[in-house]
Amino acid sequence: MKIMFLAISYWPSQDGVSQVTQYLAEGLAKKHEVRVVASLSSFNRGEEHNGVRIDRVKARRNRYFCYLKGEKTLAKKYILEYQPDILVVVSVQSWGYDWFKRELDRLPGKKVLLTHGASCLKEYHVWEQVKKIRLRKQILADLVRVSNERYWKRYKEQLPMDVARFDLAAYLFQGEKLCQYMWQHGLRNGMILENAVEDIFFERKAYLIDGAKELVFINVSNYEKRKDQAKLIRAYAAADIPNTRLVLIGSEKNEYYNELLEMKRAIEEKTDFRGKIDIWVSIPRSEVLERYRKADVYVSASSWEAMSISICEASAGGLLILSTNVGHVSQIPGVQLFETEEELTQLMKQAYEEPDMRRRNGMLANAYAEENYRIQKKVDFLEEKMKALL
């Protein structure tokens, strides 16, 4: 088969969607011809990596934060020249989806959509926003907000019709909101394809590590408000646990990253926390793996997730997981859920004071990951579905 992925991000990007797309593309490339068209960002225009040809195009968001600008003509040229048997679009609310969802029938190959949730599935109240419009200086900002509300309300309403144009759509898990939304609207072209984890994570059994070592809490995610790393820092500082460390790892510097650095400095000035909080950014994948090998507890305070690849990695490594109840996390045995910052502080203390609980829950998470998060199983399953389409 000739397979082409249209990906919002790809290697060497290290975000979760990029990692999932990479292991699927490289796994399929062992037996098939695979090509990826991804966002240009700061990477090379074209190169080859682990048997996959990568081409990149410029794709820019407009004021609604959707992808309607960029090198659509060039992307279409790549598709038509390659003539794939299977054309895979990665994610809704991506440039591949926004550019080509209405012209799929004019593109070659069977069409597959790999979803990673959808942040647009909230409730919209356009008329309420209209009533809040203020006159004079604020009117422009209010009109933009109303326009944004109208746009995403329409985007959400169009999702079932647009997704129905694909021959096959993959969802992360049965209870995921996008999967439920499509099922409620009568779509039956779907399947479940959970995320998976690199084999190297299964080599680490955190629950077997000597309890006398420094206890390391870790979070690996983009520096965004919805990831709420600030809550992790505050809860860790409030816990005030000896012989521990909090490690945060993100992909790029931004305003929120700078806020976290300032918060760290303020805490270190007032308390005896100097050297106990690490905030890393843009470190190589090899270093991320090295820090995972030293970690004992994964902490997440996200307000929204579809299916966090980092939490999948933590479960494979046998870490105790402390998390808000978002995405698929409640399906993993042994996960300790919290709602408030105070609850997280108490769970951090408990993780330190009760090593048997930490080991027991880490073992449960690892056993679940062994059954559900092996990459080869996902690649074989997707390949089987693609062959069936042809």
Side-chain angles (χ1 to χ4, degrees):
M1 287 186 292
K2 293 175 67 177
I3 304 167
M4 174 175 276
F5 287 80
L6 306 183
I8 190 172
S9 62
Y10 194 74
W11 175 89
S13 290
Q14 293 298 319
D15 60 275
V17 174
S18 173
Q19 292 174 43
V20 172
T21 308
Q22 183 180 348
Y23 71 61
L24 290 174
E26 292 179 359
L28 290 167
K30 293 175 181 177
K31 294 193 285 185
H32 306 281
E33 184 181 340
V34 179
R35 189 168 176 178
V36 172
V37 181
S39 301
L40 179 60
S41 187
S42 58
F43 307 127
N44 297 328
R45 270 288 187 179
E47 58 190 318
E48 192 161 317
H49 181 73
N50 288 348
V52 176
R53 171 65 191 177
I54 309 164
D55 292 293
R56 298 187 174 91
V57 297
K58 293 179 182 177
R60 301 188 302 277
R61 296 175 185 265
N62 66 4
R63 64 178 179 171
Y64 302 114
F65 297 99
C66 62
Y67 291 90
L68 296 178
K69 298 181 178 180
E71 296 176 328
K72 178 180 176 179
T73 302
L74 179 59
K76 189 171 183 178
K77 177 174 177 287
Y78 286 140
I79 298 170
L80 295 177
E81 287 179 348
Y82 187 64
Q83 288 290 308
D85 299 307
I86 303 286
L87 181 64
V88 183
V89 176
V90 180
S91 300
V92 301
Q93 297 175 250
S94 67
W95 63 262
Y97 179 84
D98 288 346
W99 285 356
F100 300 117
K101 61 187 177 184
R102 304 290 166 78
E103 53 181 290
L104 291 175
D105 58 341
R106 297 195 292 274
L107 298 176
K110 296 292 185 178
K111 314 305 186 305
V112 176
L113 175 65
L114 300 184
T115 70
H116 291 272
S119 61
C120 64
L121 294 181
K122 65 177 186 178
E123 293 297 320
Y124 295 96
H125 306 282
V126 177
W127 180 239
E128 292 300 317
Q129 294 295 335
V130 171
K131 290 191 290 186
K132 293 178 182 178
I133 291 178
R134 299 162 293 179
L135 300 178
R136 298 182 182 177
K137 292 183 179 179
Q138 294 86 6
I139 190 169
L140 181 59
D142 289 345
L143 288 173
V144 169
R145 188 175 62 251
V146 170
S147 179
N148 189 70
E149 191 86 354
R150 289 180 68 251
Y151 178 86
W152 285 110
K153 182 175 184 292
R154 181 63 173 163
Y155 194 102
K156 174 185 174 182
E157 292 171 346
Q158 288 288 127
L159 271 175
M161 290 173 280
D162 293 334
V163 173
R165 295 186 175 94
F166 289 85
D167 298 292
L168 182 65
Y171 305 100
L172 292 172
F173 57 97
Q174 197 70 47
E176 193 258 320
K177 285 185 178 180
L178 183 59
C179 180
Q180 291 180 325
Y181 185 67
M182 294 303 164
W183 186 263
Q184 290 166 3
H185 284 78
L187 268 70
R188 299 295 183 266
N189 63 337
M191 66 174 185
I192 300 301
L193 182 67
E194 292 180 312
N195 289 339
V197 174
E198 295 173 68
D199 290 345
I200 192 171
F201 284 96
F202 289 93
E203 297 173 5
R204 168 82 193 286
K205 302 291 190 290
Y207 52 82
L208 298 177
I209 303 302
D210 181 5
K213 71 177 270 301
E214 177 185 61
L215 187 70
V216 178
F217 298 91
I218 191 171
N219 175 273
V220 182
S221 54
N222 293 332
Y223 291 125
E224 301 175 16
K225 292 284 188 181
R226 72 176 177 91
K227 302 290 188 178
D228 209 355
Q229 289 95 338
K231 181 180 289 185
L232 302 180
I233 294 175
R234 291 193 300 268
Y236 177 68
D240 193 19
I241 316 169
N243 197 30
T244 61
R245 179 177 301 276
L246 174 63
V247 177
L248 306 180
I249 303 175
S251 58
E252 62 182 30
K253 296 180 180 179
N254 53 31
E255 184 177 342
Y256 186 57
Y257 164 78
N258 292 330
E259 291 177 16
L260 297 176
L261 287 181
E262 186 57 39
M263 181 181 294
K264 173 189 173 183
R265 283 192 288 268
I267 290 174
E268 289 180 338
E269 287 176 3
K270 296 179 181 178
T271 60
D272 187 24
F273 266 74
R274 189 167 302 279
K276 294 184 66 173
I277 301 175
D278 298 331
I279 302 179
W280 299 95
V281 64
S282 300
I283 62 176
R285 183 66 173 167
S286 59
E287 290 188 33
V288 176
L289 295 175
E290 185 59 34
R291 282 162 178 77
Y292 256 121
R293 290 189 189 100
K294 297 177 181 178
D296 306 282
V297 182
Y298 190 90
V299 285
S300 172
S302 293
S303 60
W304 180 87
E305 294 282 355
M307 186 175 186
S308 167
I309 191 69
S310 295
I311 286 181
C312 294
E313 291 168 345
S315 62
L319 279 71
L320 168 63
I321 300 170
L322 313 179
S323 176
T324 46
N325 190 7
V326 293
H328 75 300
V329 69
S330 63
Q331 296 183 345
I332 304 174
V335 171
Q336 302 295 293
L337 300 175
F338 66 88
E339 292 184 0
T340 68
E341 194 171 302
E342 292 72 24
E343 289 173 343
L344 174 57
T345 295
Q346 291 305 312
L347 285 174
M348 286 179 158
K349 289 181 178 179
Q350 185 182 13
Y352 175 76
E353 295 167 355
E354 301 180 25
D356 287 342
M357 181 276 289
R358 194 172 70 240
R359 295 189 184 101
R360 182 173 61 252
N361 290 347
M363 190 179 301
L364 288 171
N366 170 257
Y368 183 83
E370 281 283 1
E371 182 66 26
N372 295 278
Y373 298 154
R374 284 287 186 179
I375 283 178
Q376 194 58 51
K377 289 183 179 180
K378 308 302 179 184
V379 173
D380 292 343
F381 179 71
L382 181 58
E383 180 190 32
E384 179 185 331
K385 293 294 183 179
M386 287 178 169
K387 286 181 176 178
L389 288 178
L390 299 176

